[in-house]
């Protein structure tokens, strides 16, 4: 069962939610940044004796070795099946903590308190928890639902602007796949503005929640949420391997530019709409450039994506603003040509 999102405005409200779960012990998972900036905001909501487990900030913490280390620490500290894990952080902490909670004692209750925009509108919603293995993102995981997802927009005030803009990529995605009104609101907006982020937060999160509720285990409809993510994940992984990492939302933004071109070529997305999407994304997100050879490596990485079905890469594409479909087959040549058209491939 998926629990609704709860928007809170004070630490007292968080305390009430934690108390209502009557856990025998409470653990809080943070990363080094949320420990510094966010933990102090919620500490008074925690019962006495709660322990904090800190992982290094960054995608590298989403690993099976971190999962193992956390499970060992929680076991040694006497956490039981009646305990509660609170994940206080961005998508890294919520993905990792959700998986730890799903595995520890075959599953304990967990609560998300997302602290990045990306996690408030996307990663913390839907119970898709997982870690990366080698080059492959989110390949090991579980579907397990949080007991509570508490969204406190106040926690965003310390978030660096680059992270805020990265999170807005998921709101842009929600607009493109499901909400023409939201797209109209965003089209000429400055995506680095906290005002825009907060004013679109609920609408964006509601789209994710509505899709997830229809298809909890991603058998069909939920796949539309992967718009921009097939090439986006491959670009993110490639840049990481290349030691020039970019943020998740930045990679998804480039993936959406390429997906707009593919939508025009394959699913009748209007050429003017495609141009509009690319222009908006280019105004707000950096476009990394790579050689033809590197672009081929990126395309090869899409074959490692979870969205591979029967050996072919399947894409989510748009047929118009607010209308997305899934299961479109896309060839390597079409992907390369889309990356070239958006200007990502530099001549040698
Ligand atoms: N499960 C899902 O459905 C889903 C959906 C989208 C993304 N994701 C995953 O989410 C991850 C990306 O999430 P993210 O962008 O939140 O990254 P993140 O968790 O790495 O957070 C980004 C950075 O902001 C810092 N930070 C977090 N909150 C802060 C705050 N309030 N003040 C100051 N600094 C703060 C973090 O320490 C980190 O350095 C990826 O691993 C991605 O795969 C999962």
């Amino acid at each position: 069962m998926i629990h609704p999102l709860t928007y809170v405005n004070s630490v007292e409200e968080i305390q009430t939610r934690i108390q209502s779960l009557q856990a025998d012990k409470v653990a809080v998972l943070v990363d080094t940044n949320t420990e510094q900036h966010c933990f102090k905001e919620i500490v008074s909501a925690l019962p006495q004796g709660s322990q904090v487990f800190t992982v290094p900030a960054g995608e590298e913490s989403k690993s099976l070795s971190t999962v193992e280390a956390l499970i060992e620490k929680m076991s040694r500290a006497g956490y039981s099946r009646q305990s509660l894990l609170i994940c206080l952080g961005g998508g890294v902490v919520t993905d990792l903590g959700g998986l730890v909670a799903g595995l520890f004692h075959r599953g304990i209750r967990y609560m998300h308190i997302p602290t990045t925009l990306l996690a408030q509108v996307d990663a913390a919603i839907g119970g898709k928890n997982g870690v990366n293995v080698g080059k492959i993102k989110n390949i090991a995981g579980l579907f397990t639902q949080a007991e509570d997802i508490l969204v406190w927009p106040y926690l965003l005030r310390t978030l660096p602007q680059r992270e805020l803009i990265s999170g807005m990529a998921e709101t842009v995605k929600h607009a493109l796949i499901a909400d023409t009104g939201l797209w109209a609101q965003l089209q000429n907006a400055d995506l680095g503005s906290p005002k825009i982020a907060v004013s679109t937060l609920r609408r964006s999160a509601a789209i994710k929640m509505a899709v997830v509720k229809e298809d909890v285990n991603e058998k069909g409809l939920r796949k539309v949420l992967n718009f921009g993510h097939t090439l986006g994940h491959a670009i993110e992984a490639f840049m990481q391997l290349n030691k020039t990492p970019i943020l998740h939302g930045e990679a998804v933004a480039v993936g959406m530019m390429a997906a707009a071109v593919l939508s025009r070529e394959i699913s009748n997305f209007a050429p003017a709409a495609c141009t509009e999407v690319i222009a908006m994304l280019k105004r707000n997100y950096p476009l990394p450039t790579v050689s033809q050879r590197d672009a081929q490596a990126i395309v090869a990485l899409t074959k490692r994506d979870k969205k591979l079905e029967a050996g072919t890469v399947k894409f989510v594409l748009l047929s118009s603003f607010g209308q997305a479909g899934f299961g479109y087959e896309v060839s390597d040549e079409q992907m390369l040509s889309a990356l070239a058209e958006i200007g990502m491939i530099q001549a040698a």
Side-chain angles (χ1 to χ4, degrees):
M1 169 182 159
I2 300 194
H3 299 270
L5 288 179
T6 307
Y7 289 89
V8 296
N9 283 309
S10 69
V11 66
E12 288 76 21
E13 287 174 72
I14 295 177
Q15 184 175 32
T16 308
R17 307 295 294 197
I18 294 173
Q19 281 171 350
S20 73
L21 294 176
Q22 299 192 327
D24 64 353
K25 251 167 114 57
V26 174
V28 185
L29 180 65
V30 290
D31 71 19
T32 39
N33 291 326
T34 60
E35 179 180 33
Q36 184 190 345
H37 298 293
C38 308
F39 182 70
K40 60 177 183 280
E41 306 294 348
I42 69 139
V43 66
S44 64
L46 300 172
Q48 278 219 330
S50 301
Q51 274 168 281
V52 184
F53 297 95
T54 308
V55 295
E59 189 70 22
E60 294 72 29
S61 284
K62 268 178 61 173
S63 69
L64 286 171
S65 57
T66 316
V67 170
E68 191 177 353
L70 287 168
I71 288 177
E72 266 184 15
K73 280 185 191 164
M74 287 177 66
S75 173
R76 254 187 272 121
Y79 284 86
S80 78
R81 238 191 191 160
Q82 280 67 47
S83 302
L84 174 72
L85 178 65
I86 299 175
C87 307
L88 178 71
V92 164
V93 168
T94 57
D95 277 12
L96 170 70
L99 180 58
V100 168
L103 292 173
F104 186 65
H105 284 298
R106 296 193 177 82
I108 63 166
R109 292 170 301 167
Y110 70 96
M111 172 189 280
H112 282 332
I113 307 182
T115 63
T116 63
L117 180 68
L118 192 136
Q120 292 188 350
V121 300
D122 189 357
I125 306 167
K128 227 168 117 176
N129 304 308
V131 294
N132 311 322
V133 177
K135 299 176 195 169
I136 319 165
K137 266 193 69 85
N138 301 329
I139 192 75
L142 290 172
F143 284 97
T144 48
Q145 298 302 328
E147 211 59 35
D148 242 334
I149 305 165
L150 304 186
V151 178
W152 193 10
Y154 170 75
L155 294 176
L156 296 178
R157 85 203 182 291
T158 53
L159 190 67
Q161 193 192 39
R162 185 175 168 199
E163 295 289 351
L164 190 82
I165 298 173
S166 168
M168 283 304 288
E170 301 290 0
T171 291
V172 171
K173 177 194 76 182
H174 291 155
L176 288 173
I177 63 169
D179 190 336
T180 49
L182 185 56
W183 171 251
Q185 195 180 339
L186 293 174
Q187 207 187 343
N188 297 310
D190 165 14
L191 298 189
S193 149
K195 237 180 167 173
I196 293 290
V198 173
S199 69
T200 54
L201 200 165
R202 285 181 186 232
R203 197 159 168 177
S204 177
I207 293 169
K208 167 97 192 229
M209 190 54 115
V211 173
V212 163
K213 272 192 175 154
E214 286 285 306
D215 176 22
V216 176
N217 293 322
E218 200 168 309
K219 301 283 183 231
L221 177 70
R222 187 166 175 173
K223 292 180 183 169
V224 298
L225 295 170
N226 292 323
F227 179 68
H229 281 61
T230 307
L231 272 165
H233 275 161
I235 291 165
E236 189 179 3
F238 176 83
M239 300 305 280
Q240 182 89 26
L241 290 169
N242 205 34
K243 308 263 183 277
T244 50
I246 59 174
L247 301 181
H248 178 75
E250 292 171 344
V252 169
V254 180
M256 289 194 288
M257 292 179 208
V261 172
L262 293 168
S263 300
R264 186 197 63 207
E265 294 301 303
I266 298 169
S267 56
N268 292 323
F269 192 46
C274 169
T275 308
E276 220 175 274
V277 171
I278 295 171
M280 184 275 202
L281 290 167
K282 281 194 176 172
R283 248 196 331 275
N284 288 285
Y285 295 93
L287 177 65
T289 49
V290 297
S291 66
Q292 180 72 23
R293 209 164 160 204
D294 290 347
Q296 283 162 346
I298 289 170
V299 167
L301 280 170
T302 62
K303 312 281 179 351
R304 314 288 289 268
D305 197 84
K306 299 181 302 308
K307 290 166 280 298
L308 196 69
E309 282 172 28
T312 39
V313 180
K314 302 279 173 143
F315 269 68
V316 177
L317 297 177
L318 301 173
S319 50
S320 61
F321 283 120
Q323 288 293 326
F326 54 86
Y328 289 100
E329 273 185 37
V330 176
S331 68
D332 290 3
E333 292 66 36
Q334 285 170 313
M335 281 189 249
L336 283 169
S337 148
L339 293 176
E341 182 175 330
I342 64 171
M344 192 177 177
I345 306 179
Q346 222 171 27

